[in-house]
Amino acid sequence: MLKRILKSGTCAKCRICCKYDDDDVWDAPGFTEEEYKENKVKTEAAFIQRDDGLYYLQMEKDSEGIYTCPCLGENGCILGNSRPFRCGLWPMYLINTEHGLGFALSPVCPEVWKLGSEEIFESVRGKLLLINKIGHDCPTLIEDWSPEYRMIAIPDEKGNYHYLPDEEGLDPHLHFRELSDEEVQDLHENVLKKDFPEDELKKLDIIIKLKHKGAYITLAVYDRGVFVGYAFFSTDSSNKGLCILDYFAVMPELRGKGYGTRILSLITSHFSDKTNLMCEVEDPFATDDPETKQFREKRMNFYISNGWHDTGLSVFMYGVDYRIIGSPVGTFKNPEDVLGEYRKIYVDMVGEEELSVNMKINNF
């Protein structure tokens, strides 16, 4: 698909896309059912079908630790124009984005990587409808996002594609978007229930009710159009008092890649001129179990290392001990102010009677 910008002789000399090591053999292309039936007679190599429904060529590791595609011949790929879609699109990937399928570039191919995003985009512009149809017909061809990719092009709300300038496509550009009720429900059912213990998770109907009252904020986080995480906040309906970071997580496949720190910085700046911002973490000082204590300390230290501070307040609420952590911004000067606003949010949420039974201040 990149013949306009990539000469066949260049590919034949390089062949990096047909050879893998243990770190990138996962990137070997899968064949759809149709591609498999068309190509299985053209090679003696064996195929294996994986859980994603695609068929993969079996490759043996050589003495140097390299896996070579068995369809690679002296003059290039023996499959010719019938090679699988993933080979034809490489080094680009289809990626789910906010408004549809985006096109991301792998840094593995040195020849394409050095080209400008506009030039790459123009080379595939005429095939966007076909590529989109193939991706929608076979979702297993859509890849997971990695921040090391360069996003080449994404669609807008109307489905019209535009390319991202080189630096914008390469560097993280995070932004928030308010979630609809339907999106909150989907996230609650499919993501939050996996990310948080049952005893920490608010019921969906309570979140939606508070959201409609203006006392709950549900934000999705996107990087270059890709959904990378979420942040939910409890607040008063005026948004002028305390705001509590209720749930915050990076998508599992993107953890350990620096998104947590970036999103927390975005949260701090987003609320800097609006409210006082705090969060609750399970109190590491309220357990004697070494493993539990270590896990809780790790979570609390994440905030501390990013400029937040321990307010010294600990509460026992609905069977869980929490430590209240304050953000770098805000006007509260003493624990009494924090506690007053903190309690007010929960009174508005569940009522004075229920809160008096389920909330206890541990150290104030």
Side-chain angles (χ1 to χ4, degrees):
M1 293 186 185
L2 299 176
K3 289 182 179 179
R4 286 179 53 188
I5 58 174
L6 196 59
K7 296 179 180 179
S8 59
T10 302
C11 292
K13 182 179 179 181
C14 175
R15 301 189 174 195
I16 194 172
C17 58
C18 304
K19 298 186 177 185
Y20 312 88
D21 58 25
D22 287 330
D23 292 330
D24 64 6
V25 69
W26 62 267
D27 201 23
F31 291 64
T32 64
E33 184 79 28
E34 183 179 344
E35 291 168 343
Y36 164 68
K37 290 179 179 178
E38 182 180 4
N39 287 292
K40 66 179 180 177
V41 298
K42 297 182 179 182
T43 176
E44 296 180 356
F47 287 83
I48 183 172
Q49 188 176 27
R50 297 182 186 166
D51 293 341
D52 61 7
L54 299 178
Y55 294 83
Y56 293 82
L57 287 161
Q58 290 187 295
M59 297 182 290
E60 298 295 330
K61 187 193 299 187
D62 65 20
S63 60
E64 297 180 351
I66 300 299
Y67 301 87
T68 299
C69 177
C71 293
L72 178 62
E74 291 184 5
N75 299 315
C77 182
I78 64 173
L79 302 180
N81 291 330
S82 67
R83 64 188 185 277
F85 171 79
R86 280 276 276 100
C87 285
L89 188 63
W90 201 89
M92 289 200 295
Y93 299 120
L94 288 180
I95 304 289
N96 278 319
T97 71
E98 188 173 2
H99 301 297
L101 294 179
F103 296 84
L105 181 66
S106 166
V108 174
C109 177
E111 291 299 318
V112 179
W113 187 260
K114 67 186 181 183
L115 300 176
S117 296
E118 182 177 10
E119 183 179 5
I120 297 171
F121 174 62
E122 290 300 331
S123 73
V124 298
R125 181 195 286 271
K127 299 179 181 179
L128 290 176
L129 291 178
L130 173 62
I131 295 172
N132 264 281
K133 183 180 185 306
I134 293 172
H136 286 296
D137 289 347
C138 188
T140 51
L141 293 172
I142 301 171
E143 299 292 333
D144 290 332
W145 168 252
S146 174
E148 68 180 11
Y149 298 158
R150 190 203 321 170
M151 187 63 80
I152 300 299
I154 57 175
D156 59 21
E157 297 90 336
K158 297 181 179 179
N160 299 317
Y161 277 87
H162 62 90
Y163 78 92
L164 277 66
D166 296 350
E167 290 187 4
E168 185 178 338
L170 181 60
D171 298 328
H173 287 268
L174 274 59
H175 72 272
F176 286 134
R177 180 174 66 79
E178 181 75 32
L179 290 166
S180 67
D181 290 356
E182 293 75 16
E183 289 171 325
V184 171
Q185 180 177 355
D186 181 68
L187 205 63
H188 190 275
E189 291 296 320
N190 298 308
V191 181
L192 269 78
K193 285 185 176 180
K194 298 177 183 178
D195 287 344
F196 294 93
E198 185 178 357
D199 58 2
E200 288 187 30
L201 193 58
K202 290 182 176 65
K203 293 182 179 180
L204 175 64
D205 59 343
I206 293 177
I207 292 176
I208 298 297
K209 180 180 178 180
L210 292 170
K211 183 171 177 281
H212 288 179
K213 287 174 58 179
Y216 209 82
I217 303 169
T218 56
L219 301 177
V221 188
Y222 290 89
D223 175 22
R224 288 162 281 182
V226 179
F227 175 65
V228 297
Y230 58 90
F232 288 8
F233 304 83
S234 297
T235 185
D236 61 34
S237 56
S238 69
N239 279 328
K240 294 180 179 179
L242 177 64
C243 190
I244 301 172
L245 177 54
D246 208 9
Y247 304 112
F248 164 44
V250 176
M251 297 305 290
E253 66 274 13
L254 295 174
R255 291 169 188 169
K257 298 181 183 294
Y259 275 117
T261 295
R262 290 190 181 100
I263 295 173
L264 195 61
S265 176
L266 182 65
I267 288 170
T268 303
S269 61
H270 182 77
F271 287 94
S272 63
D273 61 347
K274 296 181 181 180
T275 186
N276 293 278
L277 178 62
M278 296 186 181
C279 72
E280 306 153 327
V281 297
E282 289 178 294
D283 194 343
F285 306 107
T287 179
D288 295 323
D289 180 69
E291 187 174 342
T292 302
K293 184 179 182 68
Q294 183 180 27
F295 175 79
R296 292 181 176 183
E297 285 179 340
K298 182 179 179 181
R299 181 177 287 183
M300 188 170 84
N301 288 338
F302 165 73
Y303 290 96
I304 301 299
S305 65
N306 282 284
W308 293 47
H309 62 277
D310 183 0
T311 66
L313 288 172
S314 176
V315 298
F316 182 76
M317 191 157 50
Y318 292 95
V320 181
D321 287 288
Y322 293 102
R323 200 81 176 177
I324 301 178
I325 308 298
S327 75
V329 299
T331 59
F332 291 143
K333 303 299 183 184
N334 55 65
E336 292 95 332
D337 290 337
V338 176
L339 186 58
E341 289 293 328
Y342 181 84
R343 197 174 188 285
K344 180 177 181 297
I345 285 178
Y346 280 98
V347 169
D348 291 342
M349 188 183 302
V350 300
E352 181 69 50
E353 183 177 351
E354 180 175 338
L355 189 65
S356 63
V357 175
N358 292 287
M359 179 180 177
K360 174 188 174 184
I361 309 300
N362 289 336
N363 57 351
F364 185 71

